[in-house]
């Protein structure tokens, strides 16, 4: 997961004192420092941000903390967080770590399902090849047509289309 901390380094701005307060009170806490080691941490000076970046981040005011999961999805946004306590920051960080772990677990489960589906598609392709070798062209063509329409493995779908053309040209 990641923490994006928007602050201002321009001491002429009123927000600078709030950023300083957050730095001194929260980011110096041993518990927060310990939790922060589990994150990729970014500190961005809002005074130096380009206009397009401000728009992309929805014009963050300093100080703002944005918590992202490892896929870049925003999990929490804490604007005007200068009055946050170290205990609150630590609690939020623990919640983000748990939510990130859940997102990773879901991703791995979906990846495993996708790999299983691809393995099944490859088995179907091999079955179609065996039908071709046995001279059962109509059955093989039907199976290749089914495989050519799937979207999970583009290379396999493209090869199925090639096989269909080969059957049409009588090359097999």
């Amino acid at each position: 997961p990641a923490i994006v901390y928007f602050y201002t380094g321009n001491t002429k701005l009123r927000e600078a004192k709030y950023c300083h307060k957050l730095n001194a009170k929260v980011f110096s806490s041993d518990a927060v420092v310990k939790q922060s080691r589990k994150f990729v941490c970014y500190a961005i000076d809002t005074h130096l941000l380009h206009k397009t970046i401000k728009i992309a981040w929805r014009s963050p005011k300093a100080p703002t903390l944005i918590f992202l999961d490892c896929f870049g999805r925003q999990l929490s946004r804490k604007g005007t967080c200068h009055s946050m306590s170290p205990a609150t920051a630590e609690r939020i960080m623990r919640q983000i770590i748990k939510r990130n772990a859940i997102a990773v677990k879901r991703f791995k489960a979906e990846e495993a399902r996708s790999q299983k589906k691809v393995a099944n598609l490859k088995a179907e392709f091999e079955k179609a090849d065996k039908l071709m070798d046995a001279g059962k062209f109509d059955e093989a063509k039907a199976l290749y047509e089914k495989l050519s329409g799937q979207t999970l493995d583009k290379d396999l779908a493209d090869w199925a289309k090639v096989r269909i053309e080969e059957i049409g040209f009588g090359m097999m």
Side-chain angles (χ1 to χ4, degrees), residues 43 51 75 81 103 107 116 140:
K51 180 174 69 174
L75 299 178
C81 54
F107 173 80
K116 187 175 180 179

Side-chain angles (χ1 to χ4, degrees), residues 47-67:
H47 186 68
L48 302 176
L49 277 180
H50 188 273
K51 180 174 69 174
T52 56
I53 297 172
K54 285 182 183 181
I55 291 168
W57 286 97
R58 295 186 295 145
S59 299
K61 303 282 186 217
T64 295
L65 291 170
I66 298 177
F67 297 89

Side-chain angles (χ1 to χ4, degrees), residues 1-3 35 38-40 65-70 73-78 88-104:
I3 300 171
Q35 286 299 322
K38 299 173 185 173
F39 289 83
V40 174
L65 291 170
I66 298 177
F67 297 89
L68 308 171
D69 68 12
C70 62
R73 294 181 297 236
Q74 183 174 310
L75 299 178
S76 182
R77 182 185 186 107
K78 304 296 177 192
T88 300
E90 183 185 7
R91 181 180 46 78
I92 292 168
M93 293 166 86
R94 286 179 191 216
Q95 289 172 350
I96 297 302
I97 290 167
K98 286 179 185 176
R99 290 175 65 190
N100 185 71
I102 291 168
V104 169

